[in-house]
Amino acid sequence: MSMEKKTPRPSEEEGVVLTPEQIRRRRARNIAIASVLGFLALLFYVVTIVKLGPNVLNRPL
Amino acid sequence: MRDEPASLTNSEPYAFAAAGEGLASPRDYFELLKPRVMSLVIFTALVGLVRAPGDVHPVIAFTALLCIAVGAGAAGALNMWWDADIDAIMSRTRKRPVPSGRVSAQEALAFGLTLSAFSVVVLGLLVNALSGALLAFTIFFYVVIYTMWLKRSTPQNIIIGGAAGAFPPLVAWAGASGTVSLEPVLLFAIIFFWTPPHFWALALYRADDYARAGVPMLPVTAGPDETRLQILLYTLFLVPLAASPAVLGYAGLAYGAVAVLAGAWMIMLTWRVYRRREGEAAVKAAKGLFGFSIVYLFALFATLLGEAVIGGLLR
């Protein structure tokens, strides 16, 4: 008979159980992704204005 | 009821925690971009951007630089994905995010592919198609031609692969002017011929690392003496090539003076590497050349940048 010590698994209902360190790093990753997305939205807006130039006001109604 | 994704089935949570996955911080992902290489890419690209003819709006210039930097970083991430096995063996690279287990190979692959596609598309759409195409080719060259093919198969790896690191000023020039002329090709050539002596100097005192990992760097396959000769020959070709922008009228006197003086110092250090072949003196000479080669390239491009900025202010 095997005497190997087994680490208990989380039950199916619990699903993936993150350690506090994993939660902290996931939060840091989320903040980084949100910052990058916000920056890109701003960049695309500014580039659009720059490329359109004065034509930004020229739109047929 | 919707099926659970495979990664959330009951057999996975244990493996997930045990493997240490999910522990990557934003800093680990940033490390995948090879920030030190990226800083050189940004600097040389900035020189190409500033020296290109025509006026480019600062926002467009910034976007071009950003895309080139991110594209270079993406190529670095894909390099780390592919080379994780040999990175784990070499002492210089074993602490990288993939071999150390902080980021999985699949995550590095997805990160690299996403950033590659994004940087190329954004550069192509927001700046111009030529620069986007050149950036795509640069990433392809570094990842497929250098990393996947040449690096493990030939001692010429660093010679041909060096082209990937030489492209950024060319891409930036194309971004600013929409064309490519002889001057950016010269900038490309300077970095291209600078790369072998620079990396071979490093490989001279890291030869054991490369040999253990099975990477056929020149000191491993042809021996340190042949490497020293090749470093000398390449440097003797590089120094006049680096002075050529001044001779051809693309750069001014200041650049000519820096190219000659720094070039002379570069040749002197190369000669020292060639002569000192044994013991601590040989290692010291190789380290000295490796360090100065970075200063040399920086001095050349910084002078080109300075001349362009001062010339622009005086216009």
Side-chain angles (χ1 to χ4, degrees), chain B residues 1-18:
Chain B
M1 190 182 139
R2 197 161 58 89
D3 288 343
E4 285 283 282
S7 62
L8 295 180
T9 54
N10 62 346
S11 61
E12 288 300 313
Y14 178 70
F16 179 78

Side-chain angles (χ1 to χ4, degrees), chain B:
Chain B
M1 190 182 139
R2 197 161 58 89
D3 288 343
E4 285 283 282
S7 62
L8 295 180
T9 54
N10 62 346
S11 61
E12 288 300 313
Y14 178 70
F16 179 78
E21 286 183 20
L23 275 175
S25 65
R27 189 194 172 97
D28 295 322
Y29 281 95
F30 184 66
E31 245 183 80
L32 279 179
L33 303 176
K34 296 195 175 180
R36 275 191 300 178
V37 175
M38 207 157 71
S39 62
L40 194 64
V41 165
I42 292 171
F43 180 60
T44 55
L46 176 68
V47 175
L49 204 64
V50 171
R51 293 196 67 90
D55 288 324
V56 58
H57 193 283
V59 173
I60 302 297
F62 170 78
T63 308
L65 267 187
L66 183 71
C67 288
I68 294 169
V70 172
L78 292 171
N79 168 276
M80 287 201 202
W81 157 68
W82 184 262
D83 276 348
D85 56 338
I86 53 176
D87 281 351
I89 299 169
M90 295 197 287
S91 55
R92 187 172 67 90
T93 53
R94 70 165 59 118
K95 286 183 180 164
R96 284 178 173 176
V98 181
S100 64
R102 302 196 305 277
V103 176
S104 74
Q106 286 80 3
E107 286 166 341
L109 172 64
F111 187 61
L113 286 177
T114 306
L115 292 187
S116 296
F118 212 72
S119 58
V120 168
V121 170
V122 171
L123 188 63
L125 290 177
L126 298 190
V127 182
N128 61 42
L130 178 63
S131 57
L134 282 172
L135 182 64
F137 181 73
T138 306
I139 297 170
F140 168 80
F141 197 93
Y142 184 68
V143 176
V144 178
I145 306 291
Y146 171 68
T147 304
M148 293 182 174
W149 179 28
L150 297 174
K151 186 172 177 181
R152 302 184 193 212
S153 62
T154 167
Q156 308 299 312
N157 51 15
I158 212 67
I159 301 172
I160 308 164
F167 270 113
L170 203 71
V171 179
W173 185 289
S177 67
T179 58
V180 170
S181 61
L182 180 61
E183 191 183 340
V185 173
L186 270 179
L187 299 182
F188 170 91
I190 290 169
I191 304 175
F192 182 78
F193 284 100
W194 166 87
T195 307
H198 168 72
F199 271 106
W200 284 335
L202 171 77
L204 271 178
Y205 60 91
R206 295 276 190 188
D208 291 349
D209 243 9
Y210 285 113
R212 224 175 22 249
V215 179
M217 288 294 276
L218 199 61
V220 177
T221 57
D225 290 351
E226 176 63 21
T227 307
R228 288 186 172 91
L229 176 64
Q230 293 295 326
I231 289 176
L232 183 62
L233 294 177
Y234 267 86
T235 306
L236 289 175
F237 185 78
L238 167 69
V239 170
L241 175 75
S244 66
V247 178
L248 294 171
Y250 293 126
L253 272 177
Y255 177 80
V258 169
V260 168
L261 291 175
W265 192 252
M266 185 80 182
I267 291 175
M268 196 278 288
L269 291 178
T270 307
W271 181 249
R272 190 181 284 172
V273 169
Y274 184 72
R275 297 285 294 171
R276 296 179 182 174
R277 302 182 173 209
E278 298 289 337
E280 194 54 40
V283 174
K284 204 175 162 189
K287 283 185 176 174
L289 176 61
F290 176 74
F292 184 74
S293 65
I294 299 169
V295 176
Y296 174 64
L297 191 71
F298 180 80
L300 292 176
F301 276 76
T303 314
L304 283 174
L305 182 66
E307 281 188 350
V309 170
I310 293 169
L313 291 175
L314 295 178
R315 250 191 295 153

Side-chain angles (χ1 to χ4, degrees), chain A residues 6-12 15-19 21-30 32 39-40 43-44 46-48 50-51, chain B residues 7-14 16-17 20-26 28-29 57 59-60 62-63 66 102 118 122 125-128:
Chain A
K6 287 192 176 174
T7 311
R9 291 180 176 185
S11 69
E12 255 186 77
V16 176
V17 179
L18 297 179
T19 64
E21 181 63 12
Q22 284 174 323
I23 291 171
R24 194 183 66 76
R25 295 198 180 196
R26 183 178 63 179
R27 183 171 161 75
R29 290 198 302 269
N30 290 345
F39 170 77
L40 281 176
L43 179 72
F44 292 161
V46 173
V47 170
T48 305
V50 165
K51 283 184 96 74
Chain B
S7 62
L8 295 180
T9 54
N10 62 346
S11 61
E12 288 300 313
Y14 178 70
F16 179 78
E21 286 183 20
L23 275 175
S25 65
D28 295 322
Y29 281 95
H57 193 283
V59 173
I60 302 297
F62 170 78
T63 308
L66 183 71
R102 302 196 305 277
F118 212 72
V122 171
L125 290 177
L126 298 190
V127 182
N128 61 42

